[in-house]
Amino acid sequence: MSLTVAKFGGTSVADYQAMVRCANIIKQDENCRTAVVSASAGVTNYLVRLSQAEVPAAEQASIITSISEIQHNITAQLAAEHDLNREIALLLNELTELAKQQSNHYSLQNADAILSYGEQMSSLIFAEVLRSIGLPGIQFDVRQVMKTNSAYGQANVDIEQLKQASQAVLQPLLQEHIVVTQGFIGQDSLGYTTTLGRGGSDYSAALLAEALDATKLAIWTDVEGIFTTDPRITDQARSIPEISFGEAAEMATFGAKILHPATLIPAMRQNIPVFVGSSKEPEKGGTRIQQEVASKPTYRSIALRRQQSLVTVKSPEMLHASGFLAKVFAILAKHELSVDLITTSEISVALTFDNPTASSQHLITQAVVEELEQLCEVTVEHGLSLVAVIGNGLNAAKGLGRDIFQKINDFNIRLICHGASSNNLCFLVPEENANTIVEQLHDRLFTQ
Ligand code: ADP
Ligand code: ASP
Ligand code: MG
């Protein structure tokens, strides 16, 4: 049986008109019976602030008012306004209480509970929007099936449990309803709400598509597909009609915000084709992501990931010695730090780390540095960006010097990784040069 799982991002459910456009997209696809929604645009950012410690009472109140306005502007357009507002008021009261507690006694657990309210409200309202255009929408609390560990802020989903619970509880609902559920959130074994990391709704939708044996995953966002680079960096960027799972997964892991980095893992496991398109202009088409594609160009796209840290460890003892790197990695593992890229020379090793998006804290803390310093000399640099050129057969391609390095000749390149993967070549550059480099490189690779 054909089943489409559709995911609507924050701007797609930002206001009443946007929600109606999404409802009509669902109406056009008779196989679409599951909709995964993000919080209305801006709401999660407000909630992030509310989830922090020691937020002044006046600021808390003003944030709750702003969130309330976003939601009420939508409900005001609906015949069921009264009932919806009652439910929204209950949720906002809970949120207000949690925010007060958080301000006095900060906990990670409470932070995730707070972050979940955006999706709770948008899913409630979107189900009603579906009903208002005559579709059988019902809201479903995803926490019944999206069971996770207790790594608050970045929880891992129990895929087996998700599959079993989805088949038992969710699948039967799809016979007669269009289920509207929350992206981004889950629940741990203690019954506490968890979140899957910023931008996690794409991943939720992909996991649900896998669990429900869906035949298509449609990601509806604010741009008409996956572009050759972030269209916010250059207006020369253009939509890619068709791309392989492998290439798109590289783009996502290397920071293309269009997809959460883990989104394609469930889709690839089950070979579910993915479509990415604009909910504002669905008629413009979008990008199909699938296993096999007709063209395999050397250069497919450029991704940019900001907020990178570079750690260089140096020790003359490394020369002809064994076991040094193992000691370095043991310290990093102890602090649960995942190394991203690595380059080595005889007596030094450079490692990169991806700092969490929108966080002012660096992963590499003073404690880590001090421990490494017991072993060797340590230098830490922040304020770097990782540029990744993504394509096919890059490790065997000729002309990279002409195509890529000539263009970036005038910039300070801190590290280059090439050869390990045929799908990418990446390098670290100072944050302040990143946009210019991507723009110039894009011009060279895609518009000449
Ligand atoms: P949503 O709220 O729908 O999940 P996001 O803001 O998370 O939307 O992702 C869409 C944004 O991703 C686009 O507006 C665009 O600026 C950015 N983006 C980054 N890289 C790309 C790319 N290669 N192609 C398309 N969009 C990209
Ligand atoms: N609302 C969450 C966020 O803004 C999840 C998502 O939109 O994917 O990060
Ligand atoms: Mg997103």
Side-chain angles (χ1 to χ4, degrees):
M1 202 173 58
S2 298
L3 170 68
T4 305
V5 170
K7 178 258 170 175
F8 299 96
T11 43
S12 302
V13 292
D15 52 40
Y16 174 72
Q17 273 76 24
M19 281 202 183
V20 170
R21 279 195 296 267
C22 295
N24 280 315
I25 286 174
I26 293 179
K27 205 173 197 174
Q28 308 264 305
D29 177 359
E30 57 177 11
N31 297 325
C32 185
R33 290 191 305 284
T34 306
V36 176
V37 292
S38 292
S40 300
V43 171
T44 308
N45 286 348
Y46 279 129
L47 294 172
V48 166
R49 177 64 186 138
L50 269 193
S51 73
Q52 290 166 350
E54 295 170 21
V55 180
E59 191 182 344
Q60 285 177 38
S62 122
I63 290 176
I64 303 266
T65 307
S66 303
I67 294 176
S68 164
E69 274 168 13
I70 293 175
Q71 310 293 232
H72 284 111
N73 281 341
I74 310 179
T75 58
Q77 311 285 325
L78 290 159
E81 179 186 3
H82 236 70
D83 293 341
L84 274 180
N85 283 354
R86 206 179 44 239
E87 292 189 63
I88 300 270
L90 288 175
L91 291 170
L92 288 175
N93 282 344
E94 285 172 21
L95 179 62
T96 308
E97 272 316 300
L98 287 170
K100 269 189 206 148
Q101 282 173 25
Q102 186 71 335
S103 183
N104 300 327
H105 303 283
Y106 177 87
S107 81
L108 282 172
Q109 219 169 56
N110 218 0
D112 267 9
I114 291 173
L115 291 183
S116 73
Y117 279 82
E119 272 73 8
Q120 291 191 57
M121 290 187 283
S122 61
S123 55
L124 176 74
I125 301 172
F126 188 59
E128 184 56 43
V129 172
L130 290 189
R131 293 191 288 272
S132 76
I133 66 156
L135 294 174
I138 48 160
Q139 187 201 25
F140 175 81
D141 190 334
V142 85
R143 290 170 295 187
Q144 288 185 54
V145 297
M146 196 68 76
K147 302 296 178 187
T148 72
N149 65 4
S150 300
Y152 302 108
Q154 201 70 52
N156 279 325
V157 176
D158 182 332
I159 291 160
E160 272 318 304
Q161 234 185 319
L162 170 64
K163 273 188 191 160
Q164 279 169 20
S166 300
Q167 293 293 338
V169 192
L170 198 47
Q171 191 83 50
L173 292 177
L174 305 184
Q175 305 301 323
E176 298 195 358
H177 297 100
I178 295 173
V179 166
V180 177
T181 196
Q182 306 82 22
F184 181 52
I185 71 172
Q187 186 180 57
D188 68 7
S189 59
L190 305 165
Y192 293 111
T193 298
T194 54
T195 62
L196 312 185
R198 290 303 305 264
S201 296
D202 301 324
Y203 184 42
S204 304
L207 285 168
L208 284 165
E210 179 187 33
L212 291 167
D213 285 327
T215 45
K216 181 174 166 187
L217 169 64
I219 309 258
W220 293 100
T221 178
D222 59 355
V223 285
E224 67 262 22
I226 299 187
F227 282 55
T228 43
T229 195
D230 188 341
R232 282 183 213 179
I233 298 181
T234 164
D235 56 13
Q236 297 295 308
R238 49 175 198 268
S239 178
I240 303 167
E242 195 184 65
I243 186 170
S244 70
F245 277 136
E247 292 167 288
E250 294 265 350
M251 287 183 73
T253 30
F254 279 106
K257 191 181 169 228
I258 184 86
L259 292 178
H260 178 276
T263 311
L264 293 170
I265 299 169
M268 285 161 93
R269 269 195 302 252
Q270 195 105 325
N271 195 11
I272 305 168
V274 181
F275 170 82
V276 180
S278 159
S279 66
K280 206 164 187 181
E281 297 170 301
E283 68 289 348
K284 283 199 169 168
T287 302
R288 289 183 311 280
I289 313 172
Q290 54 206 26
Q291 206 157 40
E292 291 301 328
V293 289
S295 82
K296 291 191 171 141
T298 308
Y299 303 115
R300 181 69 92 179
S301 66
I302 306 169
L304 177 62
R305 202 163 65 188
R306 300 180 203 274
Q307 289 182 281
Q308 307 297 295
S309 297
L310 177 66
V311 176
T312 311
V313 293
K314 185 172 168 191
S315 165
E317 281 167 37
M318 231 174 112
L319 195 64
H320 307 307
S322 61
F324 173 78
L325 266 187
K327 286 183 204 154
V328 169
F329 277 92
I331 294 173
L332 298 173
K334 192 179 109 190
H335 291 272
E336 296 186 14
L337 289 170
S338 141
V339 177
D340 220 29
L341 303 177
I342 171 164
T343 57
T344 74
S345 77
E346 278 293 1
I347 61 159
S348 59
V349 182
L351 310 154
T352 73
F353 296 86
D354 182 24
N355 292 301
T357 332
S359 161
S360 53
Q361 281 173 340
H362 296 300
L363 279 179
I364 305 297
T365 58
Q366 192 52 32
V368 179
V369 174
E370 280 167 18
E371 224 168 304
L372 287 170
E373 276 172 346
Q374 310 274 320
L375 276 183
C376 53
E377 235 177 81
V378 183
T379 325
V380 183
E381 293 166 64
H382 300 298
L384 296 163
S385 287
L386 183 70
V387 177
V389 175
I390 288 144
N392 295 280
L394 280 166
N395 54 353
K398 295 203 174 103
L400 296 177
R402 178 199 58 218
D403 294 344
I404 298 175
F405 294 107
Q406 224 171 51
K407 256 304 173 217
I408 55 177
N409 208 15
D410 295 338
F411 299 96
N412 171 24
I413 309 298
R414 284 296 294 113
L415 174 147
I416 299 172
C417 266
H418 174 53
S421 160
S422 61
N423 288 126
N424 76 68
L425 180 160
C426 46
F427 45 88
L428 267 189
V429 298
E431 179 73 53
E432 62 272 19
N433 301 137
N435 276 20
T436 315
I437 288 177
V438 171
E439 216 179 324
Q440 293 191 3
L441 210 50
H442 186 275
D443 188 51
R444 174 77 184 87
L445 299 181
F446 299 105
T447 58
Q448 286 179 10

